[in-house]
Amino acid sequence: MKKLPLLIALIALFVGTASATPYTADIWDATGTAAIGDLTLKPGDSITLSYRMTAISSVEQGLVLPYATQVAVISGPGATTDINITTPANVTVPLATSYTDVGVITVSLNASAPVGTIYRISIGAGPVLASTEIDSASRYVESISEFPTIALPVAAILGLAFFMQRRKEE
């Protein structure tokens, strides 16, 4: 009979521990005002981002959590070393249910990174990682039209003007 209260207390302890979920996280823009989606960077570009934490429990409030980063190549010829992520060493979780560590993350794509690679970056404080994808765009966007695309309409207009002028003279 004495074992029953002990068993109930033990079950309550495990249920309480299992129901404690960590906060949720997302990667936001440099100003911390909006969540970002997938990014496109040209080789040599960098971007500043923020780390947003929501649903922070009272257990997590006040903790000092170390930042961690991961890079994975999803597709393309690139390597994980093409992406450089800098963060502070830690974040101190405030006594609040949500917090944005504004403008503390810098993501850079090396100038020698190959075009057409998709990377997944994950950034986290403590046990929670937030991920986004980065696409390596072309270094140069060629917008030079081919010669016939421009020359044929110009020639047609000049021909029409010449034809109209000849008809007026007759």
Side-chain angles (χ1 to χ4, degrees):
M1 193 65 157
K2 291 182 180 181
K3 293 181 183 180
L4 184 60
L6 182 61
L7 182 62
I8 292 172
L10 197 57
I11 289 172
L13 178 67
F14 285 128
V15 168
T17 307
S19 65
T21 58
Y23 69 89
T24 56
D26 203 2
I27 300 172
W28 282 37
D29 63 7
T31 60
T33 56
I36 58 129
D38 295 340
L39 302 170
T40 300
L41 294 177
K42 294 180 182 176
D45 284 355
S46 65
I47 189 168
T48 302
L49 303 170
S50 303
Y51 186 73
R52 173 90 171 146
M53 304 186 302
T54 54
I56 301 171
S57 71
S58 59
V59 175
E60 296 164 327
Q61 294 175 1
L63 294 177
V64 176
L65 301 173
Y67 270 109
T69 62
Q70 295 176 353
V71 178
V73 175
I74 303 301
S75 66
T80 58
T81 55
D82 295 337
I83 300 272
N84 298 312
I85 305 172
T86 57
T87 64
N90 301 308
V91 60
T92 302
V93 181
L95 300 176
T97 57
S98 65
Y99 174 67
T100 304
D101 208 3
V102 178
V104 297
I105 302 164
T106 304
V107 178
S108 303
L109 182 61
N110 292 341
S112 60
V115 174
T117 302
I118 298 175
Y119 307 89
R120 177 176 292 124
I121 62 165
S122 299
I123 301 166
V128 182
L129 291 175
S131 298
T132 190
E133 291 186 1
I134 295 181
D135 184 19
S136 175
S138 174
R139 288 179 183 82
Y140 308 105
V141 177
E142 293 189 25
S143 61
I144 300 171
S145 299
E146 293 186 23
F147 178 75
T149 306
I150 296 171
L152 289 177
V154 170
I157 291 170
L158 289 174
L160 254 156
F162 180 74
F163 178 73
M164 297 298 275
Q165 186 66 29
R166 292 282 294 181
R167 286 192 67 178
K168 280 185 183 180
E169 289 177 3
E170 289 179 3

